[in-house]
Amino acid sequence: MHENNQDAATTLQQLTFTLAGEEYGVDILAVREIRGWSRVTRIPQTPEHLLGVLNLRGAIVPIMDLRLRFGLERESFGDNTVVIIVAVDERLFGIVVDAVSDVVDIDPAAIKPVPDMGAVVDTRYLKGLATHVERMVMLLDVEKLMRPEDVETLDAAMPDVRDVEVAA
C-alpha cells in the first residue's frame, strides 16, 4: 500500500475537458468547483473573452470563454457546457469549456514541451503536452489565462456593476 502512495505523489492529477474537439487538462489542485453554465452579469469595456461575472456565494467571480481566449470560434452553450472555477493566487475565476471529461494521472516525465503550432492555439497558455491512454492532452497554465491587464480592467469596472446575479 505504501508503494501506491509513492506513485500517487509522483503523478499530476489533471481535470480533463474538451474544447473545439481537443482535450485539455487543468491541475486538479487549482480547481475549486465545476458547475453548469448560467447567465453572467456583463461588465462594460472588458475584452470579448471575459463574458462577465457571477456571484458565487458572495464572491464575485469573472467568467472567461476559453474558446474566445484561444481565438477559436464561439459556440452556443449547450447542456454539456460547463464552467470550471479555478483559483490562482487565492483569486477565483471561471473558464467556460465545451464539456468536462474526467480526472487523469499524468506522469511529469511524460510531459513534452509544446511545439509552436502556428495560429491554432496560443501556446503561451499551455504548460506542455502529455499522452494519456493514447489521447493527447494539452496541459493548461491557468496562471497565464488571466493576464494582469484583465484583472486591472475587471477591478476598475467592478464599482460600475450594480446587480450581479447570484449563482444557483
Side-chain angles (χ1 to χ4, degrees):
M1 187 151 179
H2 179 70
E3 285 176 33
N4 287 350
N5 289 345
Q6 197 62 32
D7 286 347
T10 59
T11 62
L12 300 173
Q13 282 201 311
Q14 299 283 311
L15 173 69
T16 60
F17 59 89
T18 55
L19 192 72
E22 300 290 340
E23 193 148 15
Y24 293 84
V26 62
D27 189 332
I28 197 74
L29 298 175
V31 175
R32 294 294 169 266
E33 163 174 354
I34 301 165
R35 47 184 305 111
W37 167 252
S38 55
R39 229 164 61 84
V40 297
T41 303
R42 183 85 183 115
I43 298 181
Q45 292 156 5
T46 53
E48 187 184 19
H49 65 271
L50 289 173
L51 299 177
V53 292
L54 209 54
N55 181 335
L56 203 56
R57 293 178 294 284
I60 304 299
V61 180
I63 306 297
M64 172 189 304
D65 187 328
L66 212 50
R67 279 176 167 269
L68 297 181
R69 181 55 149 159
F70 287 172
L72 301 168
E73 206 169 294
R74 182 192 289 259
E75 290 246 322
S76 58
F77 299 148
D79 293 341
N80 291 331
T81 304
V82 292
V83 179
I84 302 171
I85 306 294
V86 294
V88 176
D89 298 331
E90 300 307 308
R91 188 175 194 123
L92 296 177
F93 68 94
I95 53 176
V96 179
V97 302
D98 295 349
V100 166
S101 305
D102 51 12
V103 175
V104 299
D105 291 320
I106 303 282
D107 177 355
I111 298 174
K112 308 279 185 270
V114 181
D116 184 8
M117 297 185 286
V120 180
V121 168
D122 194 332
T123 55
R124 70 183 151 174
Y125 303 126
L126 302 177
K127 282 184 183 171
L129 299 174
T131 304
H132 179 75
V133 195
E134 309 202 359
R135 300 184 326 234
M136 184 62 67
V137 179
M138 291 182 261
L139 307 180
L140 265 192
D141 189 339
V142 288
E143 291 178 17
K144 291 193 177 140
L145 282 177
M146 187 63 90
R147 296 192 302 230
E149 59 267 30
D150 293 339
V151 173
E152 285 169 22
T153 302
L154 279 167
D155 286 347
M158 284 315 288
D160 297 337
V161 178
R162 299 274 176 270
D163 303 312
V164 177
E165 287 196 31
V166 177

